[in-house]
Amino acid sequence: MKQRLEPKFAAVAALYMIGCLIFLGTHFTFDPFGLSNHGSVLIALLGAALLVLIAKERILPKSALLSRQHLKELAIQAEQNAGHLEKQVEWLEMTEALAHVGHWRMTFADNELFWSEETYRIHGWPQDRTPTLADATSVYHPDDRQAVVDAVETARRTGEPYRFRARLIRPDGDVRHVEAVAQIENNADGMPLAMFGVFADRTEEEKMRRALVKASDSAFAAANAKSTFLANMSHEIRTPMNGVVGFSDLLCRSDLPPRERQFAEIISDSARSMTLLLNDILDLSKIEAGQLEMREQPTDIGQLLHHVARLVRNEAQEKGLELTLDIAEGLPDHCLTDPLRLRQVLSNLLGNAIKFTDAGFVAIHAHWRDEVLSISIRDSGIGISQQDIDKIFDSFGQGGNHTYNAQGGTGLGLAISRQLATALGGSLTVESQLSEGSVFKLQLRAIQVEGQLPKALGMPQDEDISSPDRSLNRRVLLAEDFDVNQMLVQAMAEQAGIDLVVAENGQVALAKVQQAEAEGRPFALILMDLQMPVMDGHDATIRLRSKGYDAAELPIIAMTANAFADDISECKKIGMQDHLAKPVNFDQFQTMLEKWLPSDHRHAA
């Protein structure tokens, strides 16, 4: 709908248009009214009058009034937007301060820099100081400065973004670890125009990282120190225990009156218990150091179960307990597992079941399905309360009830057994009620394999080892510095029919080997201790091998209290063929001799 103009406004506007026409006519030499001298003045006067009327709002149309209202609303909206923007900037600054992250921008044309408040704060500069590019790069640590300069110049030249971490030195000398991330701003032609990005203070993060690394290193060092201590303690105890175990074993094999035989057997049993404790300590240190190795091989599970049950049968009978073994149909002839570690777990579980059962039974049940071997050991013993059932798997932990603790023990057996079960690819769990007995369940991955069971089962064989033929070359050299161990091995060698020569250290052993070779009476085997004065077994073995005495000609067996996996590996690496850990009983000694002194005199590794 068209709006009508007010009369005054229309009249002035008409006169103004006439004046414009007169002015145009005089300008183009067209002057019908003869007003060439007054046209410009008239236009100016009429224009001024028109502007006055408009300014005083006396002749504005309604549409013009509406436009003015709209402009006022727009002004109010702009003011509100400015307030919102100011508030958002304030929030941004608060966020940057909280996160210790600032922002910045630099134009390439004049290297002009803009820093946010937090960027100033990170640098430790007052905000009234205008930064330059030279200032911004000079604050970095001398070792980091060139890398920062190179990053900026490369970005300026290539237009590629960058990211770096460096050390910044504040005016007060405080060193801050910072991270800068930059992007390139291009002009309409795609040329680098400016660089902008964020600037973060990573000092606290770096302190936390270093603290964590230090704590991790300290924990690792503590674990190593503990493992080293346990290994050293084990070594120092094994050395004298070798005499106790060995001589008590020989004593039990001799003709003794009944009472003296009973004493000797008690000593031998006590020595075996101490050896088991030493083995537990050694295994614990291995596990905690991550050095426990699993050696899988085809294993006759049925034979192993019968053997373990046979070992504890006398103990069960002495307490009047019924010991049963039930093997379900379908158990393969051979499964792939570590027989030594499986036997260790089962021996510990059966030993505990008999130890904590005063009357009733101990039952073993085994079945195999879908390559999973399940073995349960159930007893009618004292049981375990629910609040203590998880403690029994802790190192040096036992059940909390007084009856359980009264039985003694270190609390290592079950902790080691569970960790061994895990290492074997399985699990060890328990179900128990106080005064109602317990059921320990062992489940292992056991893949069925075909073929015959190897002789090296990790457990002793039942058959007796025949006496050696003295007509063969059975000269053995023992390198050992401890006199008790010398006497023990001499006694064992005499009973085994071995011609033994003793050397008190590696240097003497090396000389005796060379002398025996020159006399035409070479040794068939060397039993080498590792820790000896003058020259240890490690260096003696290396020198013997370097002089041409190879494994086929002269096997060397480590006979030592160093029983870690690393020790065994190191022995074989330097040229030894086998390892016999102290303490040693006669059966172990004779088995090792028969392995390396066969009927053809020697056997190469």
Side-chain angles (χ1 to χ4, degrees):
M1 183 176 187
K2 295 182 180 180
Q3 297 194 14
R4 297 175 60 186
L5 295 177
E6 293 184 6
K8 291 181 179 179
F9 183 84
V12 174
L15 291 174
Y16 183 74
M17 292 179 63
I18 294 171
C20 289
L21 290 174
I22 293 171
F23 176 77
L24 291 173
T26 57
H27 182 73
F28 292 102
T29 67
F30 176 72
D31 187 11
F33 300 102
L35 299 175
S36 59
N37 296 325
H38 306 287
S40 299
V41 177
L42 179 60
I43 292 173
L45 291 174
L46 293 174
L50 182 61
L51 291 175
V52 170
L53 289 174
I54 293 175
K56 291 184 177 181
E57 300 184 8
R58 295 178 178 177
I59 56 174
L60 281 176
K62 292 183 178 180
S63 59
L65 291 175
L66 292 175
S67 298
R68 179 186 178 93
Q69 182 64 29
H70 182 62
L71 289 174
K72 185 177 181 179
E73 293 174 356
L74 289 177
I76 294 174
Q77 184 65 42
E79 184 177 355
Q80 291 176 347
N81 290 341
H84 291 318
L85 180 60
E86 183 178 350
K87 181 62 70 175
Q88 289 175 354
V89 170
E90 183 180 349
W91 289 344
L92 174 62
E93 291 175 351
M94 292 173 61
T95 303
E96 288 189 346
L98 183 63
H100 301 298
V101 177
H103 64 276
W104 55 272
R105 186 175 185 274
M106 183 184 77
T107 55
F108 289 146
D110 53 9
N111 289 337
E112 182 179 356
L113 272 174
F114 164 79
W115 284 358
S116 69
E117 287 187 9
E118 186 60 24
T119 303
Y120 273 105
R121 192 175 296 115
I122 294 173
H123 281 81
W125 284 14
Q127 294 186 31
D128 59 357
R129 177 178 174 179
T130 302
T132 65
L133 180 59
D135 291 336
T137 55
S138 65
V139 298
Y140 287 98
H141 190 283
D143 293 342
D144 302 338
R145 190 176 302 150
Q146 190 57 49
V148 174
V149 173
D150 291 344
V152 174
E153 292 304 318
T154 301
R156 183 198 297 268
R157 185 178 65 256
T158 64
E160 294 294 325
Y162 68 77
R163 184 182 197 135
F164 67 77
R165 285 199 177 202
R167 290 163 292 176
L168 180 149
I169 303 176
R170 287 176 169 177
D172 60 2
D174 185 26
V175 178
R176 311 299 293 179
H177 293 264
V178 298
E179 181 178 14
V181 180
Q183 293 287 338
I184 304 301
E185 180 182 333
N186 296 323
N187 59 20
D189 297 328
M191 299 300 294
L193 176 66
M195 184 163 50
F196 65 95
V198 294
F199 191 74
D201 188 345
R202 302 297 191 194
T203 305
E204 296 306 317
E205 177 184 315
E206 182 67 18
K207 288 180 180 179
M208 291 178 60
R209 187 191 68 81
R210 292 186 178 186
L212 288 173
V213 170
K214 184 178 180 180
S216 176
D217 291 343
S218 297
F220 184 74
N224 279 344
K226 179 180 178 181
S227 297
T228 300
F229 168 75
L230 290 173
N232 290 337
M233 183 183 70
S234 175
H235 178 275
E236 294 304 315
I237 297 177
R238 279 176 181 274
T239 299
M241 278 298 299
N242 192 43
V244 178
V245 171
F247 280 117
S248 63
D249 184 52
L250 291 177
L251 207 59
C252 290
R253 292 173 179 272
S254 62
D255 292 331
L256 292 175
R259 182 174 175 81
E260 282 74 12
R261 175 172 294 280
Q262 181 183 13
F263 292 161
E265 289 175 348
I266 291 174
I267 295 173
S268 181
D269 290 342
S270 299
R272 281 197 296 269
S273 296
M274 178 64 76
T275 301
L276 292 175
L277 175 59
L278 287 173
N279 289 336
D280 283 346
I281 293 173
L282 184 60
D283 283 338
L284 179 64
S285 60
K286 285 179 181 179
I287 291 170
E288 292 185 345
Q291 298 174 341
L292 190 67
E293 294 183 0
M294 295 291 108
R295 300 181 179 180
E296 292 186 335
Q297 63 186 65
T299 303
D300 188 334
I301 302 297
Q303 179 187 352
L304 188 147
L305 287 168
H306 280 288
H307 176 80
V308 173
R310 193 160 49 246
L311 288 176
V312 299
R313 189 173 299 281
N314 289 339
E315 186 180 356
Q317 289 176 349
E318 290 175 0
K319 297 186 71 172
L321 303 177
E322 180 185 7
L323 179 65
T324 60
L325 171 61
D326 174 35
I327 300 177
E329 292 185 3
L331 184 70
D333 292 337
H334 301 104
C335 292
L336 194 63
T337 188
D338 186 324
L340 177 64
R341 297 304 181 185
L342 177 56
R343 175 176 175 265
Q344 181 178 350
V345 173
L346 293 175
S347 296
N348 181 69
L349 295 179
L350 278 173
N352 280 348
I354 294 173
K355 180 179 181 179
F356 297 108
T357 302
D358 295 327
F361 66 91
V362 173
I364 311 167
H365 175 75
H367 69 273
W368 182 89
R369 182 179 180 182
D370 297 333
E371 297 187 347
V372 174
L373 174 65
S374 299
I375 302 174
S376 64
I377 297 177
R378 182 185 300 272
D379 64 64
S380 58
I382 62 175
I384 310 166
S385 66
Q386 293 303 302
Q387 64 183 18
D388 296 321
I389 201 164
D390 291 332
K391 298 177 183 178
I392 63 173
F393 291 110
D394 295 336
S395 297
F396 303 102
Q398 293 180 326
N401 63 83
H402 71 280
T403 306
Y404 197 99
N405 288 329
Q407 302 293 332
T410 62
L412 286 176
L414 287 176
I416 292 173
S417 294
R418 170 170 275 189
Q419 294 184 73
L420 288 177
T422 301
L424 288 167
S427 62
L428 176 61
T429 58
V430 60
E431 297 176 1
S432 183
Q433 293 287 338
L434 195 61
S435 302
E436 296 184 10
S438 305
V439 182
F440 284 85
K441 296 181 179 180
L442 176 66
Q443 288 192 316
L444 305 175
R445 182 193 72 250
I447 301 174
Q448 181 179 4
V449 293
E450 302 294 336
Q452 295 296 318
L453 180 68
K455 290 185 66 176
L457 223 191
M459 60 184 188
Q461 305 298 313
D462 293 331
E463 65 272 11
D464 293 332
I465 300 175
S466 58
S467 299
D469 184 352
R470 292 178 179 270
S471 64
L472 301 176
N473 175 15
R474 305 188 69 82
R475 295 196 76 214
V476 176
L477 176 64
L478 170 67
E480 169 67 61
D481 64 309
F482 189 41
D483 55 353
V484 174
N485 289 338
Q486 291 176 359
M487 294 172 58
L488 173 63
V489 178
Q490 284 175 327
M492 289 182 173
E494 182 178 350
Q495 188 163 341
I498 297 299
D499 181 10
L500 186 74
V501 177
V502 177
E504 60 269 25
N505 59 60
Q507 188 177 66
V508 175
L510 185 61
K512 287 185 178 293
V513 168
Q514 293 173 322
Q515 180 182 356
E517 188 74 21
E519 294 174 352
R521 301 179 63 225
F523 293 107
L525 181 69
I526 297 179
L527 300 175
M528 184 80 75
D529 188 21
L530 292 182
Q531 295 188 11
M532 295 181 290
V534 185
M535 181 185 294
D536 61 22
H538 180 278
D539 290 341
T541 299
I542 292 176
R543 294 201 183 189
L544 283 169
R545 295 303 184 222
S546 67
K547 290 181 178 295
Y549 296 98
D550 59 20
E553 181 181 3
L554 186 60
I556 301 176
I557 310 302
M559 190 173 181
T560 175
N562 295 351
F564 273 102
D566 285 347
D567 299 322
I568 299 173
S569 177
E570 181 64 21
C571 288
K572 294 187 177 182
K573 180 193 266 186
I574 64 175
M576 294 184 175
Q577 279 59 64
D578 217 327
H579 184 280
L580 188 59
K582 298 174 183 176
V584 179
N585 60 34
F586 181 76
D587 286 339
Q588 294 170 327
F589 178 77
Q590 191 172 30
T591 300
M592 186 63 70
L593 292 180
E594 289 303 312
K595 180 179 180 181
W596 294 101
L597 292 175
S599 57
D600 59 349
H601 302 275
R602 296 182 181 87
H603 177 71

